[in-house]
Amino acid sequence: MDLEAGKTVPSTPVPLDTELQVAYDAYLAQEPDLAPMSLEKLSVIRRAEADAAVAALEDLSHGGRFTVLQPSVPGLDGAPEIPLLVCTPSGAPASRPALYFIHGGGFYGGDHRTGLDQILETAERFGATLISVGYRLAPEHPYPAQIDDAYAGLLWAADHADEFGIDRERIVVTGFSAGATISAALALTVRDKGGPRLLGQLLMAPLLDDRNDSASALQMDDVELFDRSRNGFAWSALLGGVEGGFDVPQYAAPARATHLAGLPPTYLDVGSAECLRDEVLAYADRIWQAGGEAELHVWPGGIHGFDRKAPEARISKAAVAARRNWLERLFATN
Protein backbone atom coordinates (compact mmCIF):
# COMPACT_ATOMS: atom_id res chain seq x y z
CA MET A 1 0.00 0.00 0.00
CA ASP A 2 1.40 3.39 -0.97
CA LEU A 3 1.87 6.10 1.60
CA GLU A 4 -0.61 8.94 1.71
CA ALA A 5 0.78 12.02 -0.02
CA GLY A 6 2.65 14.25 2.39
CA LYS A 7 2.84 11.65 5.17
CA THR A 8 6.25 11.52 6.80
CA VAL A 9 7.90 8.62 8.57
CA PRO A 10 8.85 9.26 12.23
CA SER A 11 12.61 9.25 12.31
CA THR A 12 13.32 7.22 15.46
CA PRO A 13 11.73 3.88 16.37
CA VAL A 14 10.66 3.13 19.94
CA PRO A 15 13.29 0.98 21.69
CA LEU A 16 12.32 -2.51 22.77
CA ASP A 17 12.07 -3.46 26.43
CA THR A 18 15.49 -4.76 27.48
CA GLU A 19 14.36 -8.31 28.27
CA LEU A 20 12.30 -8.46 25.09
CA GLN A 21 15.26 -7.31 23.00
CA VAL A 22 17.34 -10.20 24.34
CA ALA A 23 14.56 -12.70 23.68
CA TYR A 24 13.86 -11.27 20.23
CA ASP A 25 17.53 -11.39 19.22
CA ALA A 26 17.66 -15.03 20.30
CA TYR A 27 14.52 -15.76 18.28
CA LEU A 28 15.97 -14.14 15.17
CA ALA A 29 19.15 -16.18 15.55
CA GLN A 30 17.12 -19.39 15.42
CA GLU A 31 14.54 -18.36 12.80
CA PRO A 32 15.52 -20.09 9.54
CA ASP A 33 13.61 -17.82 7.17
CA LEU A 34 13.00 -14.13 7.76
CA ALA A 35 11.92 -13.39 4.18
CA PRO A 36 8.73 -11.34 3.76
CA MET A 37 5.48 -13.26 3.96
CA SER A 38 4.35 -14.76 0.66
CA LEU A 39 1.95 -17.41 -0.61
CA GLU A 40 4.91 -19.78 -1.06
CA LYS A 41 6.07 -19.26 2.52
CA LEU A 42 2.50 -19.65 3.74
CA SER A 43 2.33 -23.26 2.59
CA VAL A 44 5.40 -24.10 4.67
CA ILE A 45 3.94 -22.36 7.73
CA ARG A 46 0.67 -24.22 7.39
CA ARG A 47 2.38 -27.62 7.23
CA ALA A 48 4.23 -26.86 10.46
CA GLU A 49 1.03 -25.63 12.12
CA ALA A 50 -0.84 -28.76 11.06
CA ASP A 51 1.85 -30.93 12.67
CA ALA A 52 1.66 -28.85 15.86
CA ALA A 53 -2.13 -29.20 15.97
CA VAL A 54 -1.91 -32.98 15.75
CA ALA A 55 0.58 -33.01 18.61
CA ALA A 56 -1.61 -30.68 20.68
CA LEU A 57 -4.54 -33.07 20.49
CA GLU A 58 -2.62 -35.55 22.64
CA ASP A 59 -2.91 -33.44 25.80
CA LEU A 60 -5.51 -30.73 25.44
CA SER A 61 -6.83 -31.88 28.81
CA HIS A 62 -3.60 -30.66 30.45
CA GLY A 63 -3.20 -33.80 32.47
CA GLY A 64 -6.89 -34.21 33.24
CA ARG A 65 -7.42 -30.65 34.49
CA PHE A 66 -9.92 -30.03 31.66
CA THR A 67 -12.76 -31.97 30.12
CA VAL A 68 -12.37 -31.54 26.37
CA LEU A 69 -15.04 -31.81 23.68
CA GLN A 70 -14.62 -31.14 19.96
CA PRO A 71 -18.03 -30.52 18.40
CA SER A 72 -18.52 -29.45 14.80
CA VAL A 73 -21.36 -26.96 14.50
CA PRO A 74 -23.42 -25.64 11.57
CA GLY A 75 -21.97 -22.79 9.59
CA LEU A 76 -23.88 -19.62 8.83
CA ASP A 77 -26.39 -19.81 5.97
CA GLY A 78 -25.26 -23.21 4.74
CA ALA A 79 -21.53 -22.62 5.05
CA PRO A 80 -19.30 -25.59 6.03
CA GLU A 81 -19.39 -26.87 9.58
CA ILE A 82 -17.15 -25.14 12.09
CA PRO A 83 -14.86 -27.04 14.47
CA LEU A 84 -14.98 -25.90 18.07
CA LEU A 85 -12.88 -26.85 21.05
CA VAL A 86 -14.78 -26.77 24.36
CA CYS A 87 -12.54 -27.04 27.44
CA THR A 88 -14.09 -27.02 30.91
CA PRO A 89 -11.95 -27.00 34.08
CA SER A 90 -12.50 -30.09 36.19
CA GLY A 91 -14.78 -29.28 39.12
CA ALA A 92 -15.87 -25.95 37.67
CA PRO A 93 -19.21 -24.76 39.06
CA ALA A 94 -22.41 -24.89 37.05
CA SER A 95 -23.63 -21.74 35.33
CA ARG A 96 -20.07 -20.60 34.81
CA PRO A 97 -18.65 -17.89 32.53
CA ALA A 98 -17.17 -18.65 29.13
CA LEU A 99 -14.18 -17.28 27.25
CA TYR A 100 -14.94 -17.43 23.53
CA PHE A 101 -11.44 -17.43 22.04
CA ILE A 102 -10.46 -16.63 18.45
CA HIS A 103 -6.91 -17.55 17.46
CA GLY A 104 -4.40 -15.33 15.70
CA GLY A 105 -2.34 -15.97 12.60
CA GLY A 106 -2.87 -13.00 10.31
CA PHE A 107 -6.23 -14.36 9.07
CA TYR A 108 -4.23 -16.86 6.99
CA GLY A 109 -2.71 -19.17 9.60
CA GLY A 110 -3.00 -20.46 13.13
CA ASP A 111 -5.16 -23.19 14.59
CA HIS A 112 -7.85 -23.25 17.27
CA ARG A 113 -6.13 -26.15 19.06
CA THR A 114 -2.67 -24.65 19.53
CA GLY A 115 -1.16 -21.79 21.53
CA LEU A 116 -3.81 -22.13 24.23
CA ASP A 117 -1.69 -22.48 27.37
CA GLN A 118 -2.13 -18.91 28.57
CA ILE A 119 -5.86 -18.70 27.88
CA LEU A 120 -6.45 -22.15 29.39
CA GLU A 121 -4.69 -21.05 32.57
CA THR A 122 -6.92 -17.98 32.62
CA ALA A 123 -10.05 -20.11 32.15
CA GLU A 124 -8.96 -22.42 34.96
CA ARG A 125 -8.34 -19.47 37.28
CA PHE A 126 -11.92 -18.23 36.84
CA GLY A 127 -13.65 -21.60 36.58
CA ALA A 128 -14.67 -20.63 33.05
CA THR A 129 -15.26 -22.78 30.00
CA LEU A 130 -12.94 -22.03 27.10
CA ILE A 131 -14.47 -22.25 23.63
CA SER A 132 -11.96 -21.95 20.79
CA VAL A 133 -13.30 -21.58 17.25
CA GLY A 134 -11.67 -22.96 14.09
CA TYR A 135 -12.63 -20.42 11.44
CA ARG A 136 -11.85 -20.73 7.73
CA LEU A 137 -8.55 -19.19 6.65
CA ALA A 138 -7.70 -16.59 4.02
CA PRO A 139 -6.78 -16.15 1.23
CA GLU A 140 -8.65 -19.29 0.12
CA HIS A 141 -11.60 -18.07 2.16
CA PRO A 142 -11.64 -14.25 2.16
CA TYR A 143 -13.89 -12.01 4.21
CA PRO A 144 -16.60 -12.58 5.42
CA ALA A 145 -15.81 -16.28 6.02
CA GLN A 146 -13.90 -15.64 9.25
CA ILE A 147 -16.47 -13.41 10.94
CA ASP A 148 -19.33 -15.59 9.69
CA ASP A 149 -17.72 -18.66 11.28
CA ALA A 150 -17.02 -16.87 14.55
CA TYR A 151 -20.59 -15.54 14.65
CA ALA A 152 -22.14 -18.93 13.86
CA GLY A 153 -20.01 -20.59 16.55
CA LEU A 154 -21.01 -17.98 19.11
CA LEU A 155 -24.72 -18.36 18.31
CA TRP A 156 -24.41 -22.14 18.65
CA ALA A 157 -22.55 -21.86 21.95
CA ALA A 158 -25.19 -19.52 23.37
CA ASP A 159 -28.01 -21.80 22.20
CA HIS A 160 -26.31 -24.78 23.89
CA ALA A 161 -25.18 -22.92 27.01
CA ASP A 162 -27.31 -24.96 29.40
CA GLU A 163 -25.95 -28.18 27.93
CA PHE A 164 -22.39 -27.08 28.75
CA GLY A 165 -23.16 -25.43 32.09
CA ILE A 166 -22.44 -21.95 30.72
CA ASP A 167 -24.19 -18.77 31.77
CA ARG A 168 -25.05 -17.22 28.38
CA GLU A 169 -25.08 -13.78 30.04
CA ARG A 170 -21.40 -14.13 31.00
CA ILE A 171 -19.62 -14.75 27.71
CA VAL A 172 -16.45 -12.77 27.03
CA VAL A 173 -15.14 -12.79 23.48
CA THR A 174 -11.37 -12.64 23.24
CA GLY A 175 -8.54 -13.12 20.79
CA PHE A 176 -4.97 -12.30 19.92
CA SER A 177 -3.79 -10.39 16.83
CA ALA A 178 -6.05 -11.29 13.88
CA GLY A 179 -8.18 -13.22 16.37
CA ALA A 180 -8.67 -9.98 18.31
CA THR A 181 -9.70 -8.31 15.04
CA ILE A 182 -12.38 -10.95 14.52
CA SER A 183 -13.38 -10.59 18.19
CA ALA A 184 -13.91 -6.84 17.74
CA ALA A 185 -15.84 -7.47 14.53
CA LEU A 186 -17.92 -10.08 16.35
CA ALA A 187 -18.87 -7.56 19.06
CA LEU A 188 -20.00 -5.15 16.34
CA THR A 189 -21.95 -7.96 14.65
CA VAL A 190 -23.75 -8.96 17.85
CA ARG A 191 -24.60 -5.33 18.53
CA ASP A 192 -26.02 -4.80 15.03
CA LYS A 193 -27.45 -8.19 14.05
CA GLY A 194 -28.37 -9.80 17.37
CA GLY A 195 -27.03 -12.62 19.48
CA PRO A 196 -26.11 -13.18 23.11
CA ARG A 197 -25.31 -10.12 25.16
CA LEU A 198 -21.55 -10.14 25.47
CA LEU A 199 -20.22 -9.49 28.95
CA GLY A 200 -17.00 -8.05 27.53
CA GLN A 201 -14.40 -8.14 24.79
CA LEU A 202 -10.72 -8.68 25.57
CA LEU A 203 -8.62 -7.62 22.58
CA MET A 204 -4.92 -8.49 22.64
CA ALA A 205 -2.90 -6.59 20.01
CA PRO A 206 -5.73 -6.40 17.46
CA LEU A 207 -5.34 -5.50 13.79
CA LEU A 208 -8.06 -2.89 13.40
CA ASP A 209 -7.30 -0.70 10.40
CA ASP A 210 -6.71 -2.08 6.90
CA ARG A 211 -5.24 1.24 5.75
CA ASN A 212 -2.00 0.34 7.55
CA ASP A 213 -0.67 3.89 7.41
CA SER A 214 -0.63 5.14 10.99
CA ALA A 215 2.39 6.91 12.46
CA SER A 216 3.36 3.76 14.38
CA ALA A 217 3.02 1.58 11.27
CA LEU A 218 5.55 3.83 9.57
CA GLN A 219 7.74 4.39 12.63
CA MET A 220 8.10 0.70 13.50
CA ASP A 221 8.34 -0.68 9.96
CA ASP A 222 11.07 -3.31 9.67
CA VAL A 223 11.84 -3.09 13.40
CA GLU A 224 10.30 -6.46 14.29
CA LEU A 225 8.93 -9.49 12.45
CA PHE A 226 5.28 -8.37 12.46
CA ASP A 227 5.83 -5.03 10.79
CA ARG A 228 3.94 -2.95 8.21
CA SER A 229 4.76 -5.43 5.45
CA ARG A 230 3.45 -8.46 7.37
CA ASN A 231 0.40 -6.48 8.47
CA GLY A 232 -0.26 -5.51 4.85
CA PHE A 233 -0.04 -9.14 3.73
CA ALA A 234 -2.62 -10.09 6.36
CA TRP A 235 -5.10 -7.48 5.17
CA SER A 236 -4.48 -8.39 1.54
CA ALA A 237 -5.14 -12.06 2.30
CA LEU A 238 -8.40 -11.16 4.05
CA LEU A 239 -9.70 -8.56 1.62
CA GLY A 240 -8.24 -9.69 -1.69
CA GLY A 241 -6.84 -6.37 -2.83
CA VAL A 242 -9.57 -3.94 -1.77
CA GLU A 243 -7.79 -3.09 1.49
CA GLY A 244 -7.30 0.65 1.88
CA GLY A 245 -10.28 1.40 -0.36
CA PHE A 246 -13.32 3.47 0.43
CA ASP A 247 -15.88 0.74 1.04
CA VAL A 248 -14.18 -1.76 3.38
CA PRO A 249 -16.90 -2.92 5.83
CA GLN A 250 -16.62 -2.43 9.57
CA TYR A 251 -17.04 -6.17 10.15
CA ALA A 252 -13.76 -6.73 8.30
CA ALA A 253 -11.80 -3.78 9.70
CA PRO A 254 -13.42 -2.50 12.92
CA ALA A 255 -11.65 0.87 12.65
CA ARG A 256 -14.02 1.55 9.75
CA ALA A 257 -17.06 1.55 12.07
CA THR A 258 -18.80 4.90 11.93
CA HIS A 259 -19.87 4.69 15.56
CA LEU A 260 -18.74 2.58 18.50
CA ALA A 261 -21.60 3.09 20.94
CA GLY A 262 -23.32 0.05 22.40
CA LEU A 263 -20.28 -2.19 22.67
CA PRO A 264 -19.60 -4.32 25.76
CA PRO A 265 -16.87 -3.31 28.22
CA THR A 266 -13.60 -3.52 26.33
CA TYR A 267 -10.02 -4.31 27.27
CA LEU A 268 -7.31 -3.47 24.73
CA ASP A 269 -3.57 -3.86 24.96
CA VAL A 270 -0.68 -3.29 22.61
CA GLY A 271 3.06 -2.70 22.74
CA SER A 272 4.52 0.77 22.26
CA ALA A 273 7.11 -0.70 19.87
CA GLU A 274 4.71 -2.42 17.47
CA CYS A 275 3.17 -1.17 14.26
CA LEU A 276 -0.40 -1.57 15.55
CA ARG A 277 0.03 0.83 18.46
CA ASP A 278 -1.72 3.91 17.12
CA GLU A 279 -4.76 2.19 15.63
CA VAL A 280 -5.40 0.49 18.99
CA LEU A 281 -5.09 3.83 20.78
CA ALA A 282 -7.48 5.41 18.30
CA TYR A 283 -10.05 2.64 18.75
CA ALA A 284 -10.03 2.98 22.53
CA ASP A 285 -10.36 6.74 22.22
CA ARG A 286 -13.36 6.41 19.91
CA ILE A 287 -15.07 4.02 22.35
CA TRP A 288 -14.63 6.62 25.09
CA GLN A 289 -15.92 9.37 22.79
CA ALA A 290 -19.02 7.25 22.17
CA GLY A 291 -19.63 7.01 25.92
CA GLY A 292 -18.39 3.43 26.15
CA GLU A 293 -16.26 1.61 28.68
CA ALA A 294 -12.70 0.72 27.68
CA GLU A 295 -9.48 -0.09 29.50
CA LEU A 296 -6.30 0.47 27.49
CA HIS A 297 -2.78 -0.73 28.26
CA VAL A 298 0.22 0.30 26.15
CA TRP A 299 3.20 -1.75 27.25
CA PRO A 300 6.47 0.22 27.00
CA GLY A 301 8.91 -1.40 24.61
CA GLY A 302 6.46 -4.21 23.81
CA ILE A 303 6.43 -5.84 20.37
CA HIS A 304 3.67 -7.87 18.76
CA GLY A 305 2.86 -10.91 20.87
CA PHE A 306 5.66 -10.17 23.33
CA ASP A 307 4.02 -12.14 26.14
CA ARG A 308 4.02 -15.20 23.89
CA LYS A 309 7.55 -14.72 22.58
CA ALA A 310 9.02 -14.04 26.02
CA PRO A 311 6.54 -15.25 28.68
CA GLU A 312 9.08 -15.03 31.51
CA ALA A 313 9.90 -11.36 30.91
CA ARG A 314 8.67 -9.02 33.63
CA ILE A 315 6.63 -7.00 31.15
CA SER A 316 4.95 -10.17 29.88
CA LYS A 317 3.93 -11.27 33.35
CA ALA A 318 2.57 -7.79 34.04
CA ALA A 319 0.50 -7.86 30.83
CA VAL A 320 -1.05 -11.24 31.64
CA ALA A 321 -1.77 -10.13 35.20
CA ALA A 322 -3.46 -6.93 33.98
CA ARG A 323 -5.80 -8.88 31.69
CA ARG A 324 -6.73 -11.26 34.48
CA ASN A 325 -7.28 -8.35 36.84
CA TRP A 326 -9.74 -6.84 34.34
CA LEU A 327 -11.55 -10.16 33.99
CA GLU A 328 -11.71 -10.54 37.78
CA ARG A 329 -13.37 -7.15 38.11
CA LEU A 330 -15.70 -7.87 35.19
CA PHE A 331 -16.85 -11.22 36.59
CA ALA A 332 -17.15 -9.85 40.11
CA THR A 333 -19.64 -7.16 39.09
CA ASN A 334 -21.73 -9.30 36.72
Side-chain angles (χ1 to χ4, degrees):
M1 184 182 299
D2 295 332
L3 298 185
E4 181 181 329
K7 188 178 286 288
T8 59
V9 180
S11 58
T12 306
V14 174
L16 272 61
D17 171 87
T18 303
E19 287 182 285
L20 296 184
Q21 185 69 68
V22 172
Y24 188 59
D25 289 344
Y27 172 79
L28 293 181
Q30 298 175 5
E31 175 62 33
D33 181 11
L34 296 177
M37 179 54 68
S38 65
L39 293 177
E40 293 76 19
K41 187 174 181 180
L42 179 55
S43 63
V44 176
I45 290 174
R46 288 215 180 135
R47 286 196 297 272
E49 288 176 343
D51 291 343
V54 170
L57 285 174
E58 297 178 1
D59 192 25
L60 282 171
S61 70
H62 279 221
R65 286 157 47 206
F66 289 87
T67 299
V68 180
L69 299 173
Q70 298 186 72
S72 291
V73 308
L76 200 66
D77 299 327
E81 288 194 337
I82 304 150
L84 297 181
L85 187 68
V86 182
C87 303
T88 302
S90 300
S95 193
R96 55 189 165 269
L99 300 175
Y100 188 81
F101 180 75
I102 306 176
H103 70 80
F107 309 116
Y108 54 76
D111 188 278
H112 68 297
R113 297 161 295 181
T114 61
L116 297 177
D117 286 350
Q118 185 186 119
I119 194 70
L120 279 170
E121 290 172 3
T122 299
E124 186 174 31
R125 174 182 294 252
F126 293 105
T129 292
L130 172 68
I131 303 172
S132 183
V133 56
Y135 57 86
R136 285 170 289 171
L137 299 177
E140 296 88 347
H141 303 284
Y143 171 84
Q146 298 73 23
I147 182 60
D148 283 354
D149 290 354
Y151 187 41
L154 177 66
L155 294 178
W156 185 90
D159 287 344
H160 293 77
D162 291 343
E163 177 183 334
F164 290 99
I166 293 169
D167 182 351
R168 73 188 310 272
E169 297 294 321
R170 304 179 75 206
I171 299 175
V172 176
V173 62
T174 181
F176 163 68
S177 192
T181 312
I182 300 169
S183 298
L186 184 56
L188 290 167
T189 301
V190 169
R191 180 196 68 180
D192 297 343
K193 301 179 182 180
R197 182 189 72 89
L198 295 175
L199 183 61
Q201 57 173 338
L202 195 165
L203 310 178
M204 298 173 278
L207 289 63
L208 295 169
D209 197 335
D210 63 291
R211 288 162 290 202
N212 194 24
D213 64 353
S214 69
S216 60
L218 304 174
Q219 178 187 28
M220 305 310 297
D221 193 22
D222 204 30
V223 172
E224 60 148 325
L225 190 58
F226 192 87
D227 62 358
R228 187 169 182 262
S229 172
R230 187 67 64 99
N231 190 35
F233 182 89
W235 285 114
S236 177
L238 181 71
L239 296 172
V242 303
E243 65 279 1
F246 294 104
D247 55 355
V248 173
Q250 63 180 352
Y251 309 115
R256 299 293 195 131
T258 55
H259 68 99
L260 296 179
L263 293 174
T266 302
Y267 181 101
L268 306 100
D269 69 2
V270 70
S272 69
E274 65 175 300
C275 71
L276 305 174
R277 181 193 67 218
D278 290 351
E279 60 196 68
V280 175
L281 269 65
Y283 201 72
D285 187 51
R286 291 185 57 214
I287 291 175
W288 293 321
Q289 289 181 32
E293 180 182 339
E295 181 168 324
L296 170 67
H297 291 258
V298 182
W299 297 101
I303 57 176
H304 193 63
F306 63 87
D307 56 301
R308 294 163 177 253
K309 293 183 176 74
E312 296 305 314
R314 285 186 290 270
I315 190 175
S316 300
K317 293 179 178 179
V320 173
R323 294 168 196 152
R324 291 174 178 168
N325 179 270
W326 179 80
L327 282 171
E328 182 176 15
R329 287 179 279 122
L330 186 70
F331 289 144
T333 56
N334 292 273

